[in-house]
């Protein structure tokens, strides 16, 4: 298995638009993101469901349901974090195997504890690895999922292109990511909650004072909606879909290789 320092040593291709977790730090975005998730791994699950008022569970189930008809047997969950999305996919889709990949060893350690506790080691495996240089051969997986991960990629196009590469022809990528609601009053309420409430609660409960300020900043900068499906097309996906959830707070994207 590669060390974190090894997988993070790829050349940085960050753009001037890049929002990083720590502005006072010279490390590239990828290293900063890995460090930030290492810092918050212990409180991540609790804060995730608490701050989203549990709605993220509905979004996750909806995303996984889009794969039910194709009955994927070999699944890759990119940016798997603490493994909740992959565990839900395992439960709902009953595939032969899921591999979860992430750049944060801290997050993967939490996932590993869950895997051991549930005795799922033969069906769910986690690997330290980078979405922009996935340690798998081309045309390997029936489906790839990413929940709340793409916004954190250092080079979005490179990450999505590599996801396309490891998918089998005809395989689907299912991607969930926060987006920006556009209509009054949800837009204003969301803005207030995300920019003022979330960072304060995050600061109290997590060990990282910047993590929950980086969250709204990275969502604001992220190319959501049509801009994202345009990128999916550019890197090789077809039949792309963009399905806004809960007034556009989150969006489910689907692309076929
Ligand atoms: C917000 S968490 C989402 C975790 C999980 N998918 C979930 O739904 O709870 C984002 C995850 O993306 C991972 N990540 C960020 N950039 C990555 C990259 N280039 N390759 C792999 N994982 C990455 C982070 O380490 C973090 O665990």
């Amino acid at each position: 298995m590669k060390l974190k320092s090894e997988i993070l040593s790829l050349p940085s291709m960050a753009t001037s638009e890049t929002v990083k977790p720590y502005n006072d730090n010279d490390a590239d975005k990828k290293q900063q993101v890995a460090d930030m998730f290492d810092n918050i791994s212990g409180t991540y699950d609790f804060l995730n469901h608490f701050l989203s008022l549990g709605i993220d569970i509905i979004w996750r189930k909806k995303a996984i349901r889009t794969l039910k008809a194709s009955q994927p047997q070999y699944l890759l969950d990119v940016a798997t974090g603490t493994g909740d999305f992959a565990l839900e996919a395992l439960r709902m889709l009953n595939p032969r195997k899921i591999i979860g990949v992430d750049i944060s060893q801290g997050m993967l350690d939490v996932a590993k504890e869950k895997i051991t506790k549930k005795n799922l080691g033969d069906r769910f495996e986690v690997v330290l690895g980078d979405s922009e240089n996935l340690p798998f051969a081309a045309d390997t997986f029936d489906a790839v999922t990413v929940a709340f991960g793409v916004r954190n990629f250092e080079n979005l196009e490179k990450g999505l292109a590599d996801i396309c590469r490891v998918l089998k022809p005809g395989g689907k990528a299912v991607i969930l990511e926060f987006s920006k609601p556009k209509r009054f009053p949800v837009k204003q309420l969301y803005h207030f909650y995300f920019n003022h409430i979330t960072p304060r609660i995050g600061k109290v409960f997590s060990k990282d004072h910047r993590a929950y300020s980086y969250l709204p900043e990275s969502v604001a900068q992220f190319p959501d909606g049509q801009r994202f499906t345009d990128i999916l097309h550019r890197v090789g996906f077809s039949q792309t879909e963009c399905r806004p959830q809960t007034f556009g707070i989150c969006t489910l994207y689907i692309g076929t290789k």
Side-chain angles (χ1 to χ4, degrees):
M1 183 159 304
K2 289 180 186 175
L3 295 171
K4 186 162 92 181
S5 56
E6 254 183 275
I7 63 165
L8 297 177
S9 64
L10 295 163
S12 167
M13 296 178 76
T15 66
S16 55
E17 270 187 274
T18 305
V19 171
K20 296 185 198 175
Y22 312 108
N23 303 321
D24 55 350
N25 185 318
D26 283 342
D28 59 25
K29 176 173 177 178
K30 200 173 300 186
Q31 180 68 61
Q32 291 196 17
V33 164
D35 290 345
M36 181 185 79
F37 281 103
D38 280 347
N39 290 343
I40 66 171
S41 57
T43 48
Y44 176 81
D45 284 336
F46 161 71
L47 276 175
N48 214 8
H49 305 318
F50 183 69
L51 291 171
S52 80
L53 313 172
I55 304 172
D56 68 297
I57 296 169
I58 299 170
W59 298 332
R60 288 162 192 271
K61 286 189 176 159
K62 239 177 160 175
I64 295 166
R65 220 171 282 139
T66 63
L67 288 171
K68 241 186 164 158
S70 56
Q71 297 184 319
Q73 292 302 311
Y74 203 40
L75 266 162
L76 176 68
D77 185 40
V78 171
T80 198
T82 59
D84 274 1
F85 193 76
L87 286 167
E88 190 61 35
L90 205 58
R91 199 185 63 77
M92 288 176 65
L93 303 173
N94 197 27
R96 228 173 279 155
K97 180 121 195 176
I98 296 193
I99 296 185
V101 72
D102 202 286
I103 51 169
S104 161
Q105 187 61 57
M107 295 289 270
L108 291 182
D109 288 343
V110 177
K112 276 184 186 163
E113 274 175 38
K114 294 178 189 171
I115 295 168
T116 308
K117 225 183 214 167
K118 292 175 192 278
N119 202 16
L120 286 170
D122 53 338
R123 297 180 59 215
F124 179 21
E125 189 188 321
V126 292
V127 176
L128 188 65
D130 180 5
S131 66
E132 293 166 32
N133 190 20
L134 290 165
F136 308 105
D139 306 341
T140 299
F141 297 96
D142 298 316
V144 179
T145 54
V146 196
F148 309 104
V150 290
R151 175 178 40 86
N152 299 295
F153 291 179
E154 185 165 63
N155 188 312
L156 181 59
E157 290 210 19
K158 203 171 168 205
L160 295 174
D162 218 35
I163 286 171
C164 192
R165 178 185 67 79
V166 300
L167 259 179
K168 286 181 188 162
K172 272 185 186 169
V174 172
I175 298 167
L176 263 181
E177 191 49 87
F178 286 113
S179 44
K180 300 171 274 280
K182 298 195 172 39
R183 297 229 170 97
F184 174 86
V186 179
K187 179 179 170 180
Q188 285 71 14
L189 285 171
Y190 164 89
H191 192 270
F192 179 76
Y193 182 71
F194 228 45
N195 285 282
H196 300 286
I197 308 292
T198 306
R200 284 189 172 84
I201 298 176
K203 221 179 201 171
V204 173
F205 288 101
S206 85
K207 285 190 208 142
D208 193 298
H209 71 289
R210 271 287 299 158
Y212 291 86
S213 305
Y214 161 77
L215 175 62
E217 289 168 16
S218 58
V219 175
Q221 174 268 346
F222 187 72
D224 58 358
Q226 179 73 44
R227 284 174 72 201
F228 188 76
T229 47
D230 286 349
I231 300 173
L232 285 177
H233 272 283
R234 240 186 350 258
V235 303
F237 286 100
S238 58
Q239 297 167 48
T240 59
E241 288 179 48
C242 167
R243 301 186 195 168
Q245 309 291 314
T246 323
F247 309 107
I249 292 171
C250 171
T251 299
L252 168 59
Y253 304 95
I254 303 170
T256 303
K257 178 171 174 181

